Amino acid sequence: MRHIISLLMENEAGALSRVAGLFSARGYNIESLTVAPTEDPTLSRMTIVTSGSDAIIEQITKQLNKLIDVVSVMDLSEGEHIERELMLIKLRAEGEAREELKRLTDIFRGRILDVSDHTYTIELTGARVKLDSFIDAIGRDLILETVRTGASGIGRGNRILSL
Amino acid sequence: MEMTGAEITIRCLQEEGVEYLFGYPGGAVLHIYDALFQQDKVKHILVRHEQAAVHAADGYARSSDKVGVALVTSGPGLTNAVTGIATAYMDSIPMVVISGQVPTFAIGEDAFQEVDAVGITRPCVKHNFLVKDVKDIASTIKKAFYLAKSGRPGPVLVDIPKDVSAHKTEFTYPASVNIRSYHPQGRGDSQQIRQAAQLLLEAKRPMVYAGGGVVLSGASEQLTDLVRLLGFPCTNTLMGLGGFPANDNQFVGMLGMHGTYEANMAMQHCDVLVAIGARFDDRVIGNVEHFAQVPRKIIHIDIDPSSIAKRVKVDVPIVGELKLVLNELLDVLRASRQKPDVEEMANWWRRIEEWRVTGGGLRYKNSSEIIKPQFVIETLHKLTGGDAFVTSDVGQHQMWAAQYYKFNHPRRWINSGGLGTMGFGLPAAMGVQLKHPGELVACVTGEGSIQMNIQELSTCKQYHLPIKVLSLNNGYLGMVRQWQEFFHGNRFSESYMDALPDFVKVAEAYGHIGIRIDKPCDVEPAIIEALSRKNDLVFMDFRTDPTENVFPMVPGGKGLSEVVLSEDL
Ligand SMILES: Cc1cc2nc3c(=O)[nH]c(=O)nc-3n(C[C@H](O)[C@H](O)[C@H](O)COP(=O)(O)OP(=O)(O)OC[C@H]3O[C@@H](n4cnc5c(N)ncnc54)[C@H](O)[C@@H]3O)c2cc1C
Ligand SMILES: Cc1ncc(C[n+]2csc(CCOP(=O)(O)OP(=O)(O)O)c2C)c(N)n1
Ligand SMILES: [Mg+2]
């Protein structure tokens, strides 16, 4: 099953490679991984999307907790949470297609950030499935480039990951 | 007063009460060696290869409850040390390794003798640090010792660039450490402990399975009290030997791949299993699915949550320091004034006794023609009253030492279990001998393993280490030969070494005494002679039966009850 694991870790050189190294050394899946400092510059917040049986997910959270640089870990998918991913996508936009692409972008609540004679560059935010369906709706032929950040996640309401 | 980073490094070791520093110099650590030269509190032991420095620090730590410390230079010094670090990591041994690094301004430029020490060691250390500022040396070393020793122990690397060791700053050693992201568990959950006590009291076919954690936490006394209070059978893993006295009737021997029949059968057929500081290794329970065929309740006590439920499902997990958890468990059991059902226990013990008979215990057919390796170990055990420190290398001789030397005390059996590192035995014995001067330290090895760090005979000479080396020379990489005999149709691919040296001459060339023993009747006299030479290293080259195999054996991937017993019985 797909899980979103959120963690706070020391904002130190090498901390990211400890997490990435753990996943490759133990053969755990990583679908995506995002990381950036928080409002407290000594801490980074990371979101890892992974998948595996319950036993594997249990090991993943235990192994993450074991890393000295990791301050706290939460499996967001165990409760109510919000997941967002940002996609920048460049499309071939020529002739009649331009109007149609703009309409699709509006339906998906995306924004056109850059326009050239032949291209649109679009920003789209949402859960993974929403971004996937946008790509499906456009069709592979028109896509020139996609950049996705991978999911960031946060718990709903009182579910707070802190020190 | 301002001090250099190098001086601070050595001061920190003094503050930590470090007696011995095992190391090897080189460019990146010259300042540190200079600081070392100008003091006499920390004694440096100059090994002949960095791997040996780390194994020696490791042996020192395993035979005491202290942190082992090693010092190596950058580049090849560090890479040579990696095998030692990984060995310590796999067996959770507390250790601090200090490595030199190229100057900070040269890092990343493929400088002379530069390797990414933190990157290379990351997967085989508990934690590691690159110190970029001289002001951070003291606090980093303090943290390193704290991390190495607390919680689940392990090796910690501190990488110090050459310029950082030359820069100056004021020295203050922090009194305490606080790492906000690191809080090893102390006491276990009381509710869980009560639940465990209940399960134990209701058990009909109980089994205590105790591992290296008992030795590491110094909880042998608690374990022994628990087993005797309940009247349960107790087995030890290879790493746990000595954690429970081998001469106790309730001891059923080591379990696992080369464990006793009774230990493995009891493990397979028990209805309540309590795992204490043991991690359900694949060499211990064999095939997980086969193990799971028999339903049983499992209580697992370990300080590392990730050891629990890693390979088998656990019913009552208890995370905590063994000593504290076992003390609380003992209190609960004593307060309950209950005992396990007498009749059920008698039935269970009857079955175990039957297995003892069917399995033949640990027996082999001795010979008057050719030296049986088991006989050498039995004789050593007899002559030393079971009180020696025994280090070993890796292979058949390791298993025979584990099986036939009966350890009644913890920290006496020193071997590489998790990584299985050939070349461990002799350097580890150096660390043990330095920690226990005047005590008997025996290194059981094979003609293959000893050659992986034989240069350390020179170190032994320099520091007058009177280790007794018992080489069970079967002329083969015996453990490999055994697997080839069993599983590869007797195709002994590259497991025979031609052109072995004359080990007696080798020992003599290094300034030691060498004895070659060919006949069974000479085994005892040779060991007596060696033991009488209290101040000398004696190298005993026993020419043993090249075809002898280690039994019992649970083949890899098989279940514990699918064991192969010796045909000799
Ligand atoms: C050739 C060869 C053959 C082998 N055959 C066998 C065999 O037949 N049988 C066998 O048993 N092994 C065998 N081994 C060894 C095997 O590979 C493992 O190293 C060993 O079984 C692991 O022992 P352990 O489970 O006691 O764990 P250890 O590696 O000793 O781990 C200790 C556990 O205790 C925990 N712990 C540490 N400190 C504390 C504390 N203070 N409080 C609470 N918990 C703590 C740790 O978290 C860890 O989970 C063999 C090895 C070799 C090289
Ligand atoms: C460094 C290293 N290389 C290879 C092995 C694989 N290995 C395990 S046992 C063994 C044979 C050991 O031979 P020897 O020391 O003569 O001991 P014996 O089995 O003959 O008693 C080998 C090659 C290992 N454990 N360690
Ligand atoms: Mg051999």
Side-chain angles (χ1 to χ4, degrees):
Chain A
M1 215 186 96
R2 181 171 180 270
H3 284 251
I4 305 182
I5 293 171
S6 216
L7 53 99
L8 277 175
M9 61 187 200
E10 298 292 347
N11 184 13
E12 272 174 20
L16 170 61
S17 59
R18 289 182 207 278
V19 174
L22 171 73
F23 275 74
S24 63
R26 296 191 181 266
Y28 303 142
N29 294 321
I30 296 190
E31 183 185 302
S32 68
L33 184 158
T34 66
V35 61
T38 67
E39 79 286 358
D40 172 351
T42 67
L43 287 174
S44 288
R45 170 91 177 226
M46 181 183 278
T47 308
I48 303 169
V49 180
T50 182
S51 58
S53 64
D54 288 353
I56 287 176
I57 299 297
E58 185 182 330
Q59 266 300 310
I60 290 177
T61 46
K62 284 174 170 177
Q63 294 290 350
L64 285 170
N65 265 310
K66 207 167 132 176
L67 294 177
I68 309 293
D69 284 338
V70 170
V71 183
S72 43
V73 180
M74 188 194 259
D75 183 351
L76 286 178
S77 27
E78 273 177 356
E80 295 270 302
H81 66 279
I82 298 163
E83 175 194 342
R84 286 292 178 275
E85 180 177 357
L86 169 69
M87 174 166 72
L88 300 175
I89 185 164
K90 190 173 290 180
L91 309 174
R92 190 187 357 248
E94 288 161 336
E96 286 168 19
R98 285 175 86 91
E99 208 30 55
E100 173 64 10
L101 288 175
K102 171 141 187 8
R103 206 174 59 81
L104 264 176
T105 304
D106 288 342
I107 293 173
F108 279 85
R109 294 176 192 272
R111 293 201 299 152
I112 300 179
L113 297 181
D114 183 52
V115 179
S116 75
D117 288 354
H118 305 287
T119 66
Y120 278 165
T121 301
I122 295 160
E123 171 195 325
L124 197 63
T125 313
R128 180 184 65 160
V129 275
K130 174 176 157 187
L131 305 190
D132 289 346
S133 9
F134 184 71
I135 287 175
D136 289 344
I138 300 287
R140 286 288 170 87
D141 293 349
L142 293 182
I143 299 178
L144 298 170
E145 203 176 346
T146 48
V147 184
R148 294 173 70 155
T149 58
S152 291
I154 195 164
R156 280 193 188 271
N158 289 331
R159 289 189 83 206
I160 292 164
L161 181 64
S162 59
L163 273 179
Chain B
M1 199 190 69
E2 294 219 315
M3 290 166 67
T4 66
E7 287 162 350
I8 290 172
T9 303
I10 299 301
R11 258 303 282 283
C12 292
L13 300 186
Q14 294 174 354
E15 296 282 337
E16 289 292 333
V18 173
E19 277 181 287
Y20 290 107
L21 176 59
F22 300 90
Y24 207 91
V29 284
L30 276 174
H31 296 301
I32 300 179
Y33 272 87
D34 200 32
L36 196 58
F37 190 81
Q38 300 178 44
Q39 57 88 55
D40 56 9
K41 287 205 182 108
V42 178
K43 290 183 260 329
H44 183 269
I45 302 295
L46 178 65
V47 295
R48 304 301 186 253
H49 186 296
E50 288 87 352
Q51 182 189 346
V54 183
H55 289 331
D58 183 325
Y60 178 92
R62 288 184 203 234
S63 67
S64 62
D65 60 351
K66 298 186 71 177
V67 177
V69 191
L71 171 62
V72 299
T73 192
S74 68
L78 182 278
T79 51
N80 271 351
V82 169
T83 301
I85 296 172
T87 302
Y89 179 71
M90 289 298 280
D91 291 340
S92 307
I93 305 304
M95 177 186 291
V96 171
V97 177
I98 297 173
S99 53
Q101 181 55 278
V102 301
T104 42
F105 53 81
I107 289 179
E109 296 182 347
D110 298 323
F112 176 64
Q113 297 198 324
E114 177 183 2
V115 295
D116 173 9
V118 163
I120 285 181
T121 57
R122 196 198 317 113
C124 60
V125 291
K126 180 164 173 185
H127 198 57
N128 56 19
F129 300 93
L130 169 64
V131 188
K132 287 194 182 138
D133 186 333
V134 66
K135 292 195 186 70
D136 296 333
I137 291 185
S139 61
T140 305
I141 294 183
K142 179 82 189 175
K143 277 186 201 165
F145 274 85
Y146 169 64
L147 287 171
K149 190 78 180 79
S150 59
R152 179 175 184 169
V156 178
L157 178 92
V158 181
D159 198 32
I160 306 180
K162 187 166 185 180
D163 55 337
V164 175
S165 69
H167 293 160
K168 288 188 164 182
T169 189
E170 290 290 331
F171 172 74
T172 42
Y173 202 56
S176 61
V177 198
N178 178 24
I179 303 175
R180 64 178 170 183
S181 55
Y182 177 73
H183 308 282
Q185 187 97 15
R187 298 168 60 97
D189 181 290
S190 297
Q191 182 93 27
Q192 299 284 90
I193 292 176
R194 275 197 299 278
Q195 208 183 326
Q198 202 50 43
L199 262 183
L200 291 173
L201 289 169
E202 289 163 6
K204 298 189 170 78
R205 300 185 311 278
M207 178 72 163
V208 178
Y209 150 54
V214 173
V215 177
L216 291 165
S217 84
S220 298
E221 214 179 289
Q222 285 79 359
L223 171 69
T224 310
D225 285 354
L226 179 77
V227 172
R228 290 190 180 148
L229 178 74
L230 294 167
F232 289 177
C234 177
T235 182
N236 276 152
T237 65
L238 182 72
M239 300 314 295
L241 293 175
F244 186 81
N247 63 3
D248 192 296
N249 275 336
Q250 285 168 250
F251 188 58
V252 293
M254 181 172 86
L255 83 168
M257 180 175 277
H258 294 297
T260 65
Y261 186 68
E262 54 272 30
N264 284 334
M265 292 301 276
M267 185 80 176
Q268 181 73 10
H269 295 285
C270 64
D271 71 338
V272 174
L273 177 65
V274 52
I276 305 180
R279 54 187 176 81
F280 291 91
D281 188 83
D282 49 301
R283 292 231 154 168
V284 168
I285 51 166
N287 185 318
V288 181
E289 272 97 59
H290 184 278
F291 183 67
Q293 282 170 6
V294 182
R296 62 177 88 64
K297 294 269 186 241
I298 298 180
I299 302 161
H300 194 171
I301 314 172
D302 202 291
I303 200 158
D304 179 359
S306 77
S307 277
I308 298 178
K310 181 164 61 179
R311 303 195 64 238
V312 300
K313 278 215 182 98
V314 169
D315 302 279
V316 185
I318 303 174
V319 178
E321 162 61 39
L322 276 186
K323 234 188 210 170
L324 302 177
V325 173
L326 291 182
N327 276 333
E328 192 171 336
L329 180 60
L330 279 163
D331 287 346
V332 174
L333 286 168
R334 288 192 184 115
S336 79
R337 295 175 185 286
Q338 291 174 52
K339 281 280 163 95
D341 189 286
V342 179
E343 209 165 305
E344 296 287 2
M345 291 309 289
N347 285 337
W348 180 226
W349 272 109
R350 213 169 296 128
R351 277 183 79 184
I352 293 171
E353 291 303 337
E354 279 166 23
W355 286 323
R356 271 188 173 144
V357 176
T358 345
L362 284 174
R363 269 186 278 140
Y364 63 96
K365 205 148 120 224
N366 211 349
S367 154
S368 56
E369 303 295 314
I370 190 159
I371 300 176
K372 292 287 179 176
Q374 301 94 327
F375 174 61
V376 178
I377 306 293
E378 272 189 340
T379 310
L380 176 71
H381 180 256
K382 188 178 81 181
L383 295 174
T384 55
D387 276 338
F389 287 90
V390 179
T391 74
S392 108
D393 265 302
V394 172
Q396 292 182 313
H397 61 273
Q398 176 189 23
M399 293 299 108
W400 287 315
Q403 291 176 333
Y404 289 90
Y405 200 97
K406 311 288 178 191
F407 294 92
N408 294 324
H409 304 286
R411 300 196 179 279
R412 297 277 163 144
W413 166 238
I414 313 278
N415 82 137
S416 162
L419 200 66
T421 309
M422 289 171 69
F424 175 81
L426 181 60
M430 304 191 312
V432 178
Q433 188 74 78
L434 283 160
K435 180 68 202 149
H436 305 275
E439 303 245 16
L440 179 64
V441 181
C443 166
V444 175
T445 183
E447 82 296 334
S449 294
I450 191 68
Q451 293 188 83
M452 286 217 181
N453 267 322
I454 199 159
Q455 76 288 344
E456 296 309 314
L457 286 173
S458 172
T459 312
C460 294
K461 187 66 192 172
Q462 181 171 346
Y463 298 98
H464 312 290
L465 304 176
I467 296 160
K468 307 298 177 253
V469 180
L470 292 92
S471 178
L472 304 183
N473 182 349
N474 52 8
Y476 276 95
L477 300 174
M479 186 56 93
V480 174
R481 194 203 57 79
Q482 176 167 348
W483 283 56
Q484 289 171 335
E485 179 184 328
F486 288 9
F487 313 118
H488 298 277
N490 284 314
R491 290 181 297 280
F492 299 130
S493 178
E494 305 298 322
S495 54
Y496 176 70
M497 256 183 211
D498 217 341
L500 286 173
D502 178 336
F503 286 104
V504 171
K505 282 195 183 143
V506 169
E508 287 170 358
Y510 278 109
H512 303 298
I513 296 167
I515 312 177
R516 172 175 166 159
I517 305 102
D518 292 279
K519 292 202 295 285
C521 61
D522 292 333
V523 168
E524 185 161 335
I527 299 179
I528 290 175
E529 159 79 11
L531 296 180
S532 73
R533 299 201 166 258
K534 296 248 179 293
N535 300 318
D536 298 306
L537 184 150
V538 183
F539 190 110
M540 286 162 271
D541 181 22
F542 293 97
R543 299 306 172 98
T544 60
D545 187 347
T547 62
E548 193 67 26
N549 287 324
V550 182
F551 292 109
M553 179 170 188
V554 180
K558 292 279 180 177
L560 284 179
S561 54
E562 299 173 304
V563 55
V564 183
L565 298 170
S566 168
E567 287 165 9
D568 288 349
L569 305 170

